[in-house]
Amino acid sequence: MSAATPSQRDFLGSIDPNRHFDMLFDHLPGLSFFVKDRSGRIMRANQNFLARFGFAEEQEIIAKTDFDLFPDRLAENFRRDDTEVMESGEPKLNIVELFFNRQGIPDWYITNKLPLYSSGSEVIGVMGFVQSYDGNKKFLQPYLQIDKAVDYIKENFRSQISIRKLAAMVNLSVRQF
């Protein structure tokens, strides 16, 4: 990321810390957002993240660690990834791992973790989000269905391509396609 311009710094510095734009994560269905400090303590979490553990208010989870919320083995894996992100300064993206669903049953999820920087450019923690693997698959399924047609278009873009042929290729009516 490039250095902030003066106007960008002024704008971001003027944001009320109690009305931070990370609150938008409360309105993204199926997305669990978290922020941890260097010690692995949760400092921020959205409503989906809280609900996974039966918490109603963010204050109930603040300063808890993965070891307070998960079995040791899972917590160790999460902490190892967090440490790697903080030490390298590089994100870890699209990690497929076990996480608890709302019923408390382990299920497969996709996790993305990014370093969190201070205003002095020091890594002070990690932030990330978790989404259901199956949920992503269901969301992508309509697009995966037309994947064969998209590949055909890429390979034959210089030719005249029939919509009817593309629709038939992916077993959809012309109107559905």
Side-chain angles (χ1 to χ4, degrees):
M1 185 184 285
S2 60
T5 66
S7 61
Q8 184 184 25
R9 267 192 311 276
D10 289 345
F11 173 77
L12 294 174
S14 70
I15 295 173
D16 179 344
N18 296 315
R19 297 174 187 226
H20 238 260
F21 54 84
D22 61 350
M23 292 168 59
L24 91 95
F25 291 114
D26 284 334
H27 304 284
L28 296 173
L31 186 126
S32 295
F33 171 75
F34 61 88
V35 174
K36 299 176 193 172
D37 67 9
R38 283 200 73 85
S39 297
R41 295 176 300 197
I42 296 172
M43 294 287 123
R44 203 69 214 240
N46 74 341
Q47 289 301 314
N48 283 332
F49 195 89
L50 298 174
R52 293 204 176 283
F53 301 102
F55 297 119
E57 300 292 327
E58 188 179 42
Q59 290 72 20
E60 297 175 83
I61 202 169
I62 299 301
K64 292 194 182 303
T65 71
D66 291 331
F67 291 94
D68 298 318
L69 302 170
F70 297 99
D72 286 351
R73 220 159 161 189
L74 284 178
E76 288 166 3
N77 288 334
F78 299 156
R79 184 65 184 151
R80 184 180 57 246
D81 287 343
D82 293 350
T83 301
E84 189 177 314
V85 168
M86 289 185 287
E87 288 177 359
S88 71
E90 296 294 322
K92 284 191 80 144
L93 305 174
N94 299 313
I95 306 164
V96 177
E97 60 191 353
L98 282 174
F99 195 75
F100 290 105
N101 65 21
R102 288 186 185 261
Q103 292 78 33
I105 300 167
D107 203 353
W108 291 107
Y109 285 80
I110 298 172
T111 303
N112 290 282
K113 296 182 176 186
L114 298 96
L116 184 62
Y117 291 91
S118 70
S119 57
S121 299
E122 293 177 54
V123 175
I124 59 170
V126 63
M127 61 183 166
F129 59 92
V130 180
Q131 291 176 294
S132 163
Y133 181 80
D134 282 337
N136 275 346
K137 217 166 53 175
K138 287 175 191 166
F139 175 75
L140 293 173
Q141 194 59 44
Y143 302 101
L144 295 175
Q145 186 175 1
I146 65 167
D147 201 33
K148 187 175 180 181
V150 171
D151 287 342
Y152 181 85
I153 293 168
K154 286 178 186 174
E155 293 170 11
N156 299 284
F157 69 93
R158 289 190 173 98
S159 307
Q160 186 170 356
I161 299 172
S162 158
I163 297 294
R164 189 173 308 283
K165 181 178 179 178
L166 292 173
M169 191 181 297
V170 295
N171 299 317
L172 293 173
S173 70
V174 171
R175 184 169 182 256
Q176 287 173 310
F177 184 74

